[in-house]
Amino acid sequence: MRIAISTGGGDAPGLNAVIRAAVLSARNRGWDVLGSKRGYAGLLGDDDVVPLTGESVRGIMAHGGTILRTTNRGSPFAYPVRNADGSWSEVDRSDEIMENARNLGIDALISIGGDGSLAIAQRLVDKGMRIVGVPKTIDNDVSGTVMTFGFDTAVNTAIEAIDKLHTTAESHDRVMVLEVMGRDAGFIALYAGIAGTADVILVPEIPWAMEKVCEKIRARDAAGRRFSIVVVAEGVTMPSGDVGVMGESLPGQMKRVGGVADTIAREIQERTGKETRSLVLGHLQRGGSPTGYDRLLATRFGGAAVEAVAAKKWGHMVALQSPHIVTIPIVEVLKESKRVEPDHDVVRTARAVGISFGD
Ligand code: F6P
């Protein structure tokens, strides 16, 4: 048996732990393991395909990033090509990847990625490739799994930032607006906001109004709490319909979001007269050593992915359905994305302890 492993999309702390667990489990079964570098680029011949052994994964558990590297613009169905004049085209190289995988003697692929990568994996499964998926995103927005690895580390990074913002906000009687990641889902903002004791949390799933945010800040002021912490998910839409835009995206890449915190901070300052500052935490949330929770979850996913390959669960994704790791069809996962439920007990509890969602 010869399997390959690839990591696609944005990195997440814990990717190396998945690779390590999958490699060690597979090697202990006597299987050969290959790693496709930079997503599918390795399998397409644009990067390396390397043998993975116990030696290759030694000491990587605690490391962020991915030893296989990654890309969020390498779909074999729309592969970006830069033309001589600097413009970009997209070509379908999916037949090529099928052929290369056959030539390399690859029996199955473990594809580790978010919903974009899982959608690509499903299209390759439809073409006959034997794939088992492993969900990955710090945003925690893949459905079918209670949790994705990387999320806990990102939340802890955000909490640390909120703790630090508290002391400076309090010293200056300021409002601090912290923007955390979460393109479509507000899980990082919600969890970090509660654990970091934010006063206002804004998430894409709950419509909000600027005046409600300001009311909360004024009420705190009147009660002698002269500073406030607002945590906002980058994917939040302004009540006017505007979204944050952060730089240009490249062809084959999702539109970049971010920067909404600054707009919110300006309006808060204008309406309340309180000095307000904003901070975009950005990719700090994607880096660093995974937490114990993420190391364990990632290791369980890696081990379960090898079990799923052994059981020929092609087109399935491993998932946490507490307390067990299960496998579910990727097509089911792709039917809907996971979002913060506005009536979830976590949101209700946040409201109960006095956090405003600006609504
Ligand atoms: O999907 C995970 C994520 O961290 C989003 O929250 C964020 O919008 C995006 O990745 C940023 O990706 P990039 O690495 O392309 O800047």
Side-chain angles (χ1 to χ4, degrees):
M1 185 77 171
R2 170 174 283 180
I3 64 165
I5 303 176
S6 75
T7 53
D11 66 345
L15 273 171
N16 282 328
V18 180
I19 296 169
R20 175 180 175 275
V23 169
L24 295 178
S25 311
R27 296 288 295 168
N28 283 332
R29 287 173 182 262
W31 299 356
D32 266 358
V33 190
L34 299 176
S36 172
K37 289 283 184 92
R38 202 159 45 88
Y40 292 113
L43 288 176
L44 284 168
D46 286 358
D47 211 313
D48 297 331
V49 173
V50 293
L52 294 175
T53 62
E55 193 55 41
S56 338
V57 297
R58 181 164 298 159
I60 66 171
M61 173 70 105
H63 294 178
T66 157
I67 58 165
L68 293 175
R69 311 208 322 280
T70 189
T71 174
N72 57 11
R73 46 195 304 261
S75 168
F77 294 92
Y79 205 78
V81 181
R82 193 156 161 86
N83 304 315
D85 64 358
S87 63
W88 291 87
S89 318
E90 286 178 352
V91 283
D92 184 347
R93 297 181 65 186
S94 56
D95 287 335
E96 226 180 297
I97 204 169
M98 301 295 296
E99 198 186 321
N100 291 352
R102 262 194 306 274
N103 292 340
L104 286 163
I106 293 168
D107 299 301
L109 173 72
I110 294 177
S111 169
I112 313 169
D115 43 12
S117 305
L118 291 167
I120 295 166
Q122 182 56 44
R123 289 180 72 182
L124 290 172
V125 168
D126 293 341
K127 283 181 84 99
M129 201 180 263
R130 296 151 150 199
I131 300 183
V132 165
V134 175
K136 170 251 34 156
T137 160
I138 66 159
D139 292 357
N140 196 30
D141 59 355
V142 174
S143 71
T145 184
V146 170
M147 207 61 97
T148 47
F149 63 86
F151 173 69
D152 187 62
T153 308
V155 166
N156 276 288
T157 299
I159 290 169
E160 199 187 330
I162 299 169
D163 287 348
K164 287 180 175 168
L165 290 177
H166 261 101
T167 56
T168 176
E170 189 161 14
S171 308
H172 283 266
D173 294 347
R174 277 178 177 160
V175 179
M176 303 295 298
V177 183
L178 174 70
E179 178 176 309
V180 296
M181 278 190 170
R183 152 184 294 276
D184 305 299
F187 291 105
I188 298 178
L190 178 64
Y191 281 49
I194 294 173
T197 70
D199 306 297
V200 180
I201 299 174
L202 301 177
V203 294
E205 295 88 343
I206 301 179
W208 59 284
M210 187 58 74
E211 204 37 46
K212 294 283 179 190
V213 174
C214 295
E215 264 171 31
K216 171 74 184 176
I217 293 165
R218 287 191 203 103
R220 279 177 55 79
D221 238 32
R225 308 293 287 154
R226 306 208 182 283
F227 72 96
S228 288
I229 305 286
V230 178
V231 177
V232 51
E234 64 181 358
V236 153
T237 305
M238 293 295 292
S240 63
D242 289 349
V243 288
V245 181
M246 189 168 260
E248 284 295 306
S249 48
L250 285 165
Q253 205 168 38
M254 280 191 305
K255 191 165 167 281
R256 295 183 62 194
V257 294
V260 76
D262 193 49
T263 314
I264 293 172
R266 281 168 204 268
E267 277 211 39
I268 290 174
Q269 181 164 298
E270 208 174 285
R271 288 180 189 230
T272 63
K274 286 195 71 70
E275 223 184 323
T276 306
R277 297 284 189 268
S278 69
L279 173 75
V280 178
L281 201 52
H283 293 80
L284 278 178
Q285 294 156 100
R286 292 242 297 262
S289 187
T291 58
Y293 182 91
D294 280 339
R295 292 181 198 195
L296 182 64
L297 180 60
T299 300
R300 292 175 76 193
F301 276 177
V306 169
E307 278 185 8
V309 170
K312 301 187 169 31
K313 296 270 185 117
W314 314 132
H316 279 62
M317 177 190 94
V318 298
L320 174 67
Q321 289 182 4
S322 304
H324 301 292
I325 303 286
V326 299
T327 58
I328 48 175
I330 295 174
V331 281
E332 291 301 317
V333 175
L334 296 176
K335 279 186 183 155
E336 55 170 355
S337 301
K338 190 165 69 184
R339 297 286 179 263
V340 169
E341 292 166 30
D343 195 37
H344 196 278
D345 74 87
V346 178
V347 177
R348 294 203 314 273
T349 297
R351 291 188 194 278
V353 299
I355 296 173
S356 163
F357 286 85
D359 58 347

